[in-house]
Amino acid sequence: MNEKLDSYLHKGRRRQLINYLREKVGVRDAGVLEAMNTVPRHLFIESVFDEWAYEDRAFPILSDQTISHPSTVAEQTSLLELSPKEKVLEIGTGCGYQTAILVAMGADVYTIERIKNLYEFSITLLKQLNYQPKKSIYGDGFLGDNSESPFDKIIVTCGASEIPKILFDQLKIGGIIVIPMGKGKEQKLYRFRKLDAKQYTKEEFGTYAFVPMLGNIT
Ligand code: SAH
């Protein structure tokens, strides 16, 4: 990428963020750290935030949505236990940053966004930066993508009030779904592992504040 778009200053700040994620947050997954050291997060947010793009902060993106904190992206992605070439369904493309991280890690990504302008924004940017997912879908993530299921992994980047059953049905046996769930403004992050058609293990991780998972497209 040319120096104007991704300068030495950006690269330096990115490296500092990676050190912070490793030393202070405790992120261990080398593939996640490498992908986050490669993807230029500052290009996914408005240029007024450029200076702070590599701090552990969330920023507003289009339509009152937010790009997640880098530590949240690192945590969620690590929980997926990703291997290259795995088929991953992402619910909530947003600006496309998390999508780019998954693509950079070699996953085959299918991503769904319910807000038209974010769907369009992410398609254009991901193509420009060469982090194209296999498929970008403008639609309701509660429905998943039946035509492409089953998936090895599913990541939900918005807070659900309950378990979206269809998504569990679209997961392979042995597959993992990482999803924030909770009724109020805050959610707990969960990892479910599918044991068979009916049984799952459930692990609980930290408390987060994601934008809500909403039905209907706009
Ligand atoms: N991973 C994104 C985070 C965006 S915030 C990023 O890196 O920018 C979560 C996104 O989930 C928002 O863009 C929101 O519009 C979307 N969303 C909420 N409910 C959804 C649903 N039912 N289906 C698809 N996307 C949804």
Side-chain angles (χ1 to χ4, degrees):
M1 196 174 303
N2 81 39
E3 153 72 8
K4 251 203 180 125
L5 277 181
D6 191 25
S7 69
Y8 285 108
L9 188 59
H10 291 121
K11 291 190 175 92
R13 287 180 179 150
R14 203 148 64 230
R15 224 171 352 249
Q16 283 180 354
L17 171 65
I18 301 311
N19 287 337
Y20 164 85
L21 292 172
R22 190 190 293 117
E23 307 302 331
K24 300 279 190 284
V25 182
V27 178
R28 289 283 161 265
D29 188 320
V32 171
L33 292 170
E34 198 184 315
M36 292 185 72
N37 196 27
T38 309
V39 176
R41 184 175 190 250
H42 64 282
L43 298 178
F44 289 79
I45 58 183
E46 280 185 53
S47 55
V48 291
F49 302 126
D50 191 276
E51 209 176 309
W52 304 283
Y54 295 102
E55 291 182 6
D56 193 17
R57 291 169 61 166
F59 295 100
I61 52 174
L62 296 171
S63 303
D64 292 329
Q65 303 303 309
T66 50
I67 180 172
S68 300
H69 290 72
S71 56
T72 306
V73 172
E75 169 86 339
Q76 279 203 287
T77 314
S78 300
L79 290 176
L80 283 180
E81 296 178 356
L82 212 56
S83 304
K85 286 285 150 215
E86 279 189 323
K87 208 168 169 180
V88 180
L89 177 66
E90 178 192 39
I91 312 297
T93 320
C95 65
Y97 176 69
Q98 169 78 70
T99 318
I101 297 297
L102 296 168
V103 173
M105 290 179 72
D108 286 344
V109 184
Y110 299 76
T111 184
I112 310 181
E113 173 55 56
R114 67 178 280 274
I115 298 178
K116 187 77 175 267
N117 58 12
L118 279 167
Y119 160 77
E120 284 169 351
F121 173 90
S122 64
I123 288 189
T124 309
L125 183 60
L126 291 167
K127 187 167 181 193
Q128 201 181 325
L129 299 179
N130 220 0
Y131 289 115
Q132 271 177 287
K134 285 266 166 201
K135 190 170 164 189
S136 287
I137 301 158
Y138 169 51
D140 177 5
F142 277 107
L143 305 176
D145 183 0
N146 213 8
S147 64
E148 301 288 352
S149 74
F151 297 95
D152 296 295
K153 310 282 163 70
I154 299 179
I155 178 170
V156 181
T157 72
C158 38
S161 56
E162 56 193 50
I163 298 175
K165 185 172 176 306
I166 292 178
L167 297 184
F168 282 78
D169 293 341
Q170 294 183 6
L171 193 61
K172 278 186 192 164
I173 307 286
I176 286 174
I177 176 166
V178 173
I179 179 170
M181 287 195 316
K183 298 246 187 260
K185 278 209 170 354
E186 291 191 332
Q187 303 88 21
K188 289 262 186 326
L189 190 58
Y190 293 95
R191 172 166 64 187
F192 294 88
R193 214 180 286 265
K194 186 167 177 172
L195 301 177
D196 58 40
K198 292 229 167 71
Q199 296 189 81
Y200 301 87
T201 59
K202 179 181 179 183
E203 297 165 90
E204 188 184 305
F205 296 89
T207 302
Y208 296 85
F210 285 85
V211 296
M213 182 169 181
L214 302 170
N216 303 326
I217 55 176
T218 69

